[in-house]
Amino acid sequence: MRMLHYWTGLAATALLALLVAAALGIFGAAPDAHLVAGLFAAASTVGAHALLIVFMLVSGRIVREAMRTRPLPAELLDEHNRFFAHKRAYPAAGLGAVAIVATGVLGYARHGFGWSPAVHMLAGVVAVLYNAWAFQQEWRALRENQQLLDRTASSLDAIDRAHPEIAAAAAEARARESFAPAKSWLIVGISAWMPYLYWALVVWRGDFSRMAGWMLPATIAVSVLALLCAWLTRGVRTALE
């Protein structure tokens, strides 16, 4: 399976979770159910946006390294320059994540500032609609990026077959200095439990019943998403400049 397939599955899950959370809030379901659904929706949505941005950055870094070590065709270089100059998916992904976080914050505005619940409801509807549009934009950008990577890989394979000495030099350079993003995601996935364990073991001295109800689901969601990113990027290594 390709990254496009993984991301599409995560984005579809996030969009479905957003719709469920919105429906629970609009139709007045139990507050706890709306809160849990909202936390899962927010975590999965931010995770989908983050996965796209990370993949774009990693793939762009790999392509730049390939351009530095191999003589790619000029038309392919121009296509890469045009694609990465536009960066269409970055603003959509960033604003989508911000919209979801802002909606979650506004959910407590009624208690903290005395605002009407309609503010949170309106923000939620806008966030769901915007993220649905953003996912569509990101899918198109990711598909275009994948096609560009496929053409680049074909060109690189042709160059390596025609010039084995170039392939050997590039492999040696990658082996000397490289970065594995999966390790960073693994650290994030494990570190996500640190705040939860600190509050449970240090602040509340092992009394887990005094923990806030949202903290465990949020910790699990962040940890699972980070570990998913680690699994998706396993074996990926990108050269460092």
Side-chain angles (χ1 to χ4, degrees):
M1 295 181 69
R2 316 295 295 277
M3 176 58 73
L4 180 61
H5 301 141
Y6 292 122
W7 182 87
T8 301
L10 180 57
T13 301
L15 184 58
L16 179 61
L18 287 173
L19 294 174
V20 170
L24 290 174
I26 292 173
F27 296 108
D32 289 344
H34 174 60
L35 177 60
V36 173
L39 284 173
F40 178 79
S44 56
T45 300
V46 173
H49 292 314
L51 179 60
L52 177 129
I53 292 175
V54 169
F55 179 73
M56 289 289 194
L57 292 175
V58 171
S59 61
R61 192 66 176 269
I62 293 174
V63 169
R64 285 196 298 271
E65 179 64 19
M67 292 166 58
R68 187 175 66 85
T69 58
R70 295 175 177 87
L72 290 175
E75 60 274 11
L76 190 58
L77 295 178
D78 292 339
E79 193 173 354
H80 274 288
N81 291 333
R82 287 194 301 270
F83 178 81
F84 286 104
H86 292 160
K87 297 181 179 179
R88 296 175 305 168
Y90 294 159
L95 290 176
V98 170
I100 290 299
V101 173
T103 300
V105 172
L106 290 174
Y108 287 90
R110 177 169 62 91
H111 304 286
F113 305 102
W115 292 5
S116 170
V119 175
H120 171 61
M121 184 181 299
L122 178 61
V125 171
V126 172
V128 171
L129 294 176
Y130 177 83
N131 274 277
W133 174 84
F135 283 148
Q136 181 263 344
Q137 293 294 313
E138 293 169 38
W139 183 84
R140 292 176 57 188
L142 188 57
R143 183 183 62 174
E144 184 179 345
N145 181 65
Q146 191 69 68
Q147 293 171 349
L148 192 56
L149 290 177
D150 290 341
R151 291 196 295 274
T152 302
S154 298
S155 296
L156 292 176
D157 290 341
I159 293 172
D160 290 344
R161 287 193 297 268
H163 304 280
E165 68 282 0
I166 296 179
E172 183 180 353
R174 288 195 302 269
R176 283 198 307 268
E177 191 174 11
S178 60
F179 167 73
K183 293 182 180 179
S184 297
W185 283 115
L186 183 61
I187 293 173
V188 172
I190 296 174
S191 300
W193 288 94
M194 298 305 174
Y196 178 82
L197 294 176
Y198 171 80
W199 278 91
L201 301 178
V202 178
V203 176
W204 299 123
R205 300 182 182 276
D207 187 358
F208 286 85
S209 63
R210 302 180 66 181
M211 295 288 293
W214 59 268
M215 201 164 186
L216 181 59
T219 301
I220 293 175
V222 173
S223 180
V224 168
L225 286 173
L227 294 176
L228 175 63
C229 291
W231 184 78
L232 292 176
T233 56
R234 69 194 188 284
V236 175
R237 301 190 69 86
T238 179
L240 298 174
E241 294 179 357

